[in-house]
Amino acid sequence: MNDEAFQASIRKLLKTVGVTTQQEIEKAVQLGLSEGYLKGDERLPARITVEVDGLSLALDFDGDIILE
């Protein structure tokens, strides 16, 4: 196994996931605000699941997205 390539591929995947997820959450919140189903002072529970096929690995992360 090439450790450098392995670690670089993990970092690339996590960066892509992080950036894309943030952009999509921001768009969804803006839509919610503009359509009136969000007031702008919510605390939105969120869960992220990471699964790796071939490893039987599933990790869950819970947190809140705070709008105010």
Side-chain angles (χ1 to χ4, degrees), residues 54-66:
L55 296 179
S56 299
L57 177 66
L59 305 169
D60 289 323
F61 300 92
D62 295 308
D64 290 329
I65 296 170
I66 302 167

Side-chain angles (χ1 to χ4, degrees), residues 38-52:
L38 291 176
K39 296 182 290 183
D41 61 354
E42 289 85 357
R43 177 180 293 259
L44 306 169
R47 172 176 292 134
I48 296 171
T49 300
V50 177
E51 296 182 11
V52 180

Side-chain angles (χ1 to χ4, degrees), residues 14-41:
L14 293 175
K15 181 178 180 181
T16 300
V17 168
V19 169
T20 304
T21 301
Q22 181 174 347
Q23 291 170 342
E24 292 300 318
I25 291 169
E26 289 171 353
K27 282 195 276 186
V29 167
Q30 289 302 319
L31 181 64
L33 292 169
S34 69
E35 292 189 355
Y37 59 85
L38 291 176
K39 296 182 290 183
D41 61 354

